[in-house]
Amino acid sequence: MRISVVGGGYVGLVTGTCFAEFGHQVTIIEIDPEKIKAINEGKPPIYEDGLEDLLKKNAGHRLRAEDGYESVAGADIVFICVGTPPKPDGSANLSYIESASCSIGEKLKDIPGYCVVVVKSTVPPGTTEHVVRPVVLKMAKKTEREIGFAMNPEFLREGRAVADFMNPDRLVIGSSDPRSGKQVEEVYTSVRAPLIHTGISAAEMIKYTSNAFLATKISFSNEIGNICKNLGIDVYDVMKGVGLDPRIGPLFLNAGAGFGGSCFPKDVSALVSLAEHAGEKPVLLQSVLAINEQQPSRMITILEKRAGSLAGKRIAVLGLAFKDNTDDIRDSRAVPVIQMLLAKGARVIAYDPMAAPNMKKIFPAIEYCPTAADALRGADGCLVMTEWPEFTRLDKEFDLMAHTVIIEGRHILSRKDREGICW
Ligand code: UDX
C-alpha cells in the first residue's frame, strides 16, 4: 500500500518506519528540515530501541521523508500523527490536527480513487468526526463516498515503541463505515494481535481511558504507599500480594515518585478538561493528578527529615529521564524535585545515562556527572528518580556518600541490607 504519514515525531517516525518494514511504500511528511535529512540518511532523530536498524534498512528504499504533502495525492491511506500538546487549561490543542487536515484535503482535490484519512494522534472524542472529516471534505470538495475516515490509536511505550508496534497487545480501528475500517486493517496484515473494530469516537476514547486507567493504578499505589509509610508497612510487599489477583494484575502498581512522560499527565489532564466541558465533575481523575503532583514534594520532605536543612547540602539526583531506556525528560518527576532542591538552597549533582543533555537545557547551572559514583561521592543525600537498570546494581557506590541518606523514588535498588535506603 502507498501510505503517507503526517508528522515525523515519536509516533509518526516509529509508525512510518514499521509500516515500511511491513513492505508498504511510506512517505513521512515533516516540517523540520533537520529531521527530514536525518530520516532520509537513516539516522533516527530520537532514541528508540531497534529504530536505527529498521530506519537504515528502509530509508531511501521503501521510506522517505519530505516537507510537502505531494505524496497524499497518490496515497491509499494517510495517517495523521501530529502532536496534540496541552493548552493552559489542560485541554488538547488541535491546531496541528486542523492544519494537517487542511493540507491533506487540498491534495485530495481532483484526485480520482478512494483514500482513507486515519487519525493516530491522541485526540478528544469527536475530533475525527467533527474537526478532521469536515475540514478534509471541504478542502477536497468531495463526499464520504470518495474519502473514508478512521481512528487508529497507538499504545506505544517510549523506549519500547518498535517492539510494541511489531507485537501489539491489541489493534483498535474506529471507523464509521466498513470500507475504511477494512482498508486500515489491510495495513496491518502482518501483525498478529486481537483486533477490535469500534465507532470512531469510541476508538478515540479507548486511548484516553487506557492511559487514565494506568495512571490511576499508579496514583492508587502511591496513595496506599503513603498510608503504608505512616503505618510502617512495606507497600511493595503489599502490592506483590495484591497484584497476584488476576482481576488486578501485577503491573503499574509501583509506588514512588509518580508518573511523568509525554502521555499520562497530558492525557489525564485532557480527559479531566473534556469531562468538565461535558458538565461532569471527574473527582477520581482529578485526584489521580493531585496525588501525582504531591509525590515529588513528599520525597523532599522525607529527605529533609533524614538530612536536616538542605541549605548548602550536596544532593545527588540519580535519573533525569521520565523513565528508563529513554532520553525524554518531558514531565519527568526529576524536574520538580530539582526545582525544590534549588529553592531550598541545595547543591544539585545530577547523573543520568542518557538524559543529561536534555536536562541541561532546563537546568544549565547544576552539576552533571559522567557516572553515578561521581554524583554520589561526598553527597549528603541522594534521590533516585528513574528506574534505570544500572541503578539496581549500585551498592558500594553509596559508601562514597558523606552521609548515606538515600530516598528511593523507584523501587529498584538492591543494596545489601538496604542500609541508608528509605522510601
Ligand atoms: C505510556 C503507556 O504505557 C503507553 O501505552 C501509551 O501509549 C503512552 O503512555 P510511556 O509514557 O512511554 O507509555 O511510559 P510508561 O512505561 O507507561 O511509564 C509512564 C510513567 O509511569 C513513568 O514515569 C514511569 O516511571 C511511571 N510508572 C510506571 C510508575 O510510577 N509506576 C509504575 O508502576 C509504572
Side-chain angles (χ1 to χ4, degrees), residues 92-168:
N93 175 352
L94 300 177
S95 60
Y96 300 117
I97 296 274
E98 279 181 61
S99 67
S101 305
C102 204
S103 305
I104 292 167
E106 272 172 3
K107 287 294 167 217
L108 290 177
K109 200 166 50 186
D110 307 326
I111 302 294
Y114 184 71
C115 178
V116 182
V117 177
V118 188
V119 174
K120 206 176 239 313
S121 307
T122 300
V123 292
T127 304
T128 307
E129 286 186 286
H130 303 303
V131 178
V132 177
R133 187 201 314 247
V135 172
V136 172
L137 291 178
K138 185 175 165 225
M139 297 310 291
K141 297 193 174 66
K142 288 199 171 187
T143 69
E144 274 162 53
R145 260 176 299 153
E146 298 155 292
I147 303 175
F149 293 89
M151 203 280 159
N152 171 222
E154 50 79 21
F155 305 99
L156 309 174
R157 290 166 298 173
E158 267 186 54
R160 298 157 181 86
V162 171
D164 283 350
F165 200 98
M166 294 301 192
N167 296 296

Side-chain angles (χ1 to χ4, degrees), residues 169-353:
D169 41 29
R170 80 282 212 194
L171 284 171
V172 175
I173 299 173
S175 59
S176 53
D177 66 292
R179 187 180 178 189
S180 52
K182 200 79 203 140
Q183 191 138 321
V184 181
E185 197 179 326
E186 275 169 28
V187 177
Y188 290 99
T189 40
S190 40
V191 171
R192 296 277 154 271
L195 166 69
I196 65 159
H197 282 281
T198 66
I200 291 185
S201 300
E204 292 167 329
M205 193 64 178
I206 284 171
K207 172 63 192 263
Y208 277 112
T209 308
S210 295
N211 277 353
F213 189 78
L214 292 170
T216 302
K217 278 185 102 174
I218 299 170
S219 279
F220 176 82
S221 304
N222 279 327
E223 181 147 289
I224 297 293
N226 297 337
I227 299 168
C228 283
K229 179 141 188 64
N230 281 304
L231 300 177
I233 300 169
D234 183 337
V235 65
Y236 303 101
D237 276 351
V238 172
M239 287 312 186
K240 221 186 283 164
V242 170
L244 285 171
D245 182 331
R247 292 169 301 174
I248 297 174
L251 304 177
F252 281 71
L253 293 180
N254 274 333
F259 55 80
S262 63
C263 291
F264 287 173
K266 167 176 92 72
D267 292 351
V268 181
S269 298
L271 193 50
V272 165
S273 154
L274 204 78
E276 285 170 345
H277 280 104
E280 287 297 322
K281 200 166 182 298
V283 283
L284 177 59
L285 297 174
Q286 284 164 336
S287 302
V288 167
L289 292 174
I291 293 169
N292 201 52
E293 285 312 305
Q294 275 173 26
Q295 290 309 103
S297 56
R298 280 182 173 264
M299 290 182 71
I300 300 290
T301 307
I302 299 169
L303 176 66
E304 276 177 321
K305 257 192 208 145
R306 304 262 318 276
S309 161
L310 299 180
K313 295 259 167 73
R314 196 180 155 92
I315 306 297
V317 174
L318 297 189
L320 302 171
F322 85 93
K323 65 170 193 182
D324 65 303
N325 212 21
T326 179
D327 63 356
D328 194 344
I329 56 159
R330 282 176 289 176
D331 261 314
S332 167
R333 301 292 75 198
V335 174
V337 155
I338 294 173
Q339 267 159 355
M340 282 182 261
L341 288 172
L342 293 175
K344 286 176 182 287
R347 200 171 139 206
V348 177
I349 322 290
Y351 167 70
D352 188 283

